[in-house]
Amino acid sequence: MKSEIRDIHEGGFGKRMIAMIMDAAVFAFVMIALALWVFTPIANSALHYQDYGVQGLKYEVFSKLYVAEEIDPDTGDTKVIEITKFEETTGNLTYTPLYNSKSEDVNFYKERLHYYYLSYKTGENLEVPEGKNLEDYRAPDYNKYIKDNNGNDILPKDYYTEAWFASYIEGKTTVDDYKNLSYNSVKDLRESNYFTELNGKISGCQLFIILPAFFISFLGFYLLVPLLFRNGETLGKKVMHIGLATKDGFEVKKRQIVFRQLLLLAWVSLFSFAVGIGLTSLAILGLGVVIYLIATVISKSKRSPIDYAAYTYMIDTAKSVWFKDQEEEDKKAAELEEKMSKYQRYEPDKSKLIQVGTEIVDEQVKKELEEEKLKKAKK
């Protein structure tokens, strides 16, 4: 016998959105907590992650190229802030606001550019505090050969000369001109071999911190938790009373949950780490979420791409009626039919109605009641 007493209601898109936001918030919190409190300390002690950051900051400060800008909330004027102190052990910086007249003086920027190219990059005539090691204040690449205009190898001290400075830096007339030169010089610093290698080490440490935290959080929250519930719910779906069923409306199988959630992991990982870690990867992840939602909305059955692949369906667990499989549904249908038939058997039949005292009852009912009384009396 094949029956259909299932009553499947689709999990509404609004509920699914709310559940997705709740899940994403909890997942992000767990991942960030793991990254900050577990894997960052490990990276600091085993991979010297914090030391790399301090080293890079130290050389940036020593180059004297870096100034900060802030906007006065009262006047709206831009104020230049100079970095005047650097704590080598902690990486803490001390900032000193400059007078507007100084920050708008071309000589201020010219002096910083002169120091960067003719002192810092060449390792010559450095301003080293008393008692400090000269090597700590030189650019890491000061003694490495570079290419001159003719493609020949040359040391920085022989390339960056007063004549070079006069040709490429002198002669500018406005502050904006010198600011643009400063920005280009910062780019030059960051593209040096030292910073390229340092950024590679920092990126490696960041991957060590982020990837384990991401996968542990994802597998725990999006795979283990759904396997604990009958309908493959995450915590957000549980709160919103939505869950998974098979496309045919039966109870979802554990293997379907695993397959579906691993597909979700692959989808999120592809859009999260396709270009590394950073703001660009977050933007690409956002694009992936938008594509996922659009594909779900335009689907006739409102199933997401991974639901199609996993042969699953999102249902409203508070309104739906569903069973483990067809066999269980048939069994429940038979039990229901039997109960209904009993109810129908006691439906009054006018031809069999008799009067007992002041009551009108069915003959069959009377007979069964008397037999039941007799059984009780014998006990």
Side-chain angles (χ1 to χ4, degrees):
M1 178 183 70
K2 205 169 187 179
S3 59
E4 288 191 6
I5 56 175
R6 278 162 289 153
D7 186 17
I8 302 298
H9 293 264
E10 178 216 332
F13 187 74
K15 284 188 173 183
R16 293 161 73 171
M17 283 291 297
I18 295 172
M20 184 180 73
I21 293 171
M22 293 171 62
D23 288 337
V26 176
F27 163 72
F29 174 80
V30 173
M31 185 186 74
I32 293 171
L34 282 175
L36 292 179
W37 299 331
V38 178
F39 291 103
T40 296
I42 294 175
N44 287 336
S45 60
L47 303 177
H48 309 292
Y49 174 54
Q50 187 175 28
D51 295 339
Y52 292 145
V54 172
Q55 288 174 27
L57 188 58
K58 178 181 76 172
Y59 286 116
E60 289 174 347
V61 172
F62 290 172
S63 72
K64 292 198 173 182
L65 284 176
Y66 285 78
V67 294
E69 291 184 347
E70 69 175 12
I71 297 177
D72 190 318
D74 297 326
T75 64
D77 296 334
T78 300
K79 184 184 294 184
V80 174
I81 302 176
E82 184 178 17
I83 300 171
T84 55
K85 186 178 179 182
F86 172 72
E87 179 56 53
E88 296 181 39
T89 56
T90 62
N92 293 331
L93 302 174
T94 301
Y95 299 90
T96 302
L98 302 175
Y99 292 111
N100 284 335
S101 59
K102 186 176 181 180
S103 65
E104 294 300 322
D105 185 358
V106 295
N107 289 324
F108 170 73
Y109 294 97
K110 188 186 294 185
E111 289 170 4
R112 301 178 82 85
L113 289 167
H114 189 277
Y115 184 84
Y116 172 68
Y117 285 107
L118 274 68
S119 295
Y120 179 73
K121 284 181 74 71
T122 64
E124 304 289 322
N125 303 314
L126 292 165
E127 298 176 8
V128 180
E130 186 177 350
K132 294 293 184 179
N133 187 355
L134 175 65
E135 292 300 321
D136 290 339
Y137 287 79
R138 284 173 167 158
D141 298 331
Y142 83 97
N143 59 352
K144 296 179 181 178
Y145 286 99
I146 60 176
K147 298 289 185 182
D148 64 12
N149 296 336
N150 298 320
N152 300 316
D153 289 336
I154 187 172
L155 287 173
K157 70 182 182 62
D158 297 322
Y159 180 79
Y160 295 108
T161 63
E162 291 289 351
W164 177 91
F165 191 83
S167 297
Y168 291 94
I169 306 298
E170 294 277 10
K172 307 298 181 184
T173 57
T174 68
V175 171
D176 287 338
D177 289 336
Y178 279 101
K179 282 184 178 181
N180 290 333
L181 285 173
S182 296
Y183 296 147
N184 290 334
S185 301
V186 169
K187 183 179 178 182
D188 172 75
L189 175 66
R190 289 190 168 275
E191 289 178 350
S192 65
N193 292 333
Y194 174 79
F195 271 93
T196 300
E197 294 175 4
L198 185 65
N199 289 334
K201 293 176 182 178
I202 291 174
S203 296
C205 291
Q206 290 173 342
L207 286 173
F208 174 82
I209 293 170
I210 296 297
L211 290 183
F214 172 82
F215 284 108
I216 290 173
S217 302
F218 194 100
L219 293 175
F221 188 74
Y222 283 101
L223 182 60
L224 180 59
V225 171
L227 286 174
L228 297 177
F229 295 118
R230 174 192 175 195
N231 308 308
E233 302 108 317
T234 56
L235 296 181
K237 291 182 176 67
K238 194 74 174 174
V239 171
M240 298 308 299
H241 302 292
I242 57 177
L244 296 174
T246 67
K247 179 180 176 296
D248 296 329
F250 293 111
E251 184 176 312
V252 68
K253 307 294 189 295
K254 297 296 183 185
R255 64 177 180 272
Q256 287 179 288
I257 296 174
V258 172
F259 181 60
R260 182 186 188 277
Q261 299 307 92
L262 290 180
L263 284 178
L264 180 61
L265 172 61
W267 181 282
V268 173
S269 299
L270 173 64
F271 284 94
S272 297
F273 306 114
V275 295
I277 297 175
L279 294 178
T280 303
S281 61
L282 288 177
I284 294 176
L285 176 60
L287 175 64
V289 172
V290 170
I291 293 173
Y292 183 88
L293 294 177
I294 291 176
T296 303
V297 170
I298 64 177
S299 165
K300 289 184 179 180
S301 57
K302 297 298 182 286
R303 295 165 67 205
S304 69
I306 61 173
D307 283 319
Y308 275 101
Y311 207 66
T312 52
Y313 187 71
M314 194 70 69
I315 64 171
D316 188 322
T317 56
K319 298 179 180 178
S320 300
V321 177
W322 72 103
F323 304 93
K324 182 178 180 181
D325 50 31
Q326 186 66 58
E327 183 180 351
E328 183 184 60
E329 183 181 4
D330 291 342
K331 180 179 178 182
K332 294 293 183 181
E335 291 175 359
L336 181 61
E337 186 176 344
E338 184 179 357
K339 289 179 181 179
M340 292 299 294
S341 65
K342 284 184 178 179
Y343 172 78
Q344 291 168 358
R345 186 176 64 184
Y346 295 130
E347 194 78 28
D349 185 346
K350 291 182 180 180
S351 64
K352 295 183 178 180
L353 290 180
I354 60 174
Q355 187 168 354
V356 178
T358 58
E359 299 292 331
I360 296 177
V361 299
D362 187 290
E363 285 182 315
Q364 181 64 25
V365 173
K366 178 185 176 184
K367 182 179 179 181
E368 289 181 3
L369 290 174
E370 288 175 347
E371 288 177 352
E372 188 175 344
K373 288 180 181 179
L374 183 61
K375 288 178 181 179
K376 289 182 179 179
K378 287 182 179 181
K379 291 181 180 180

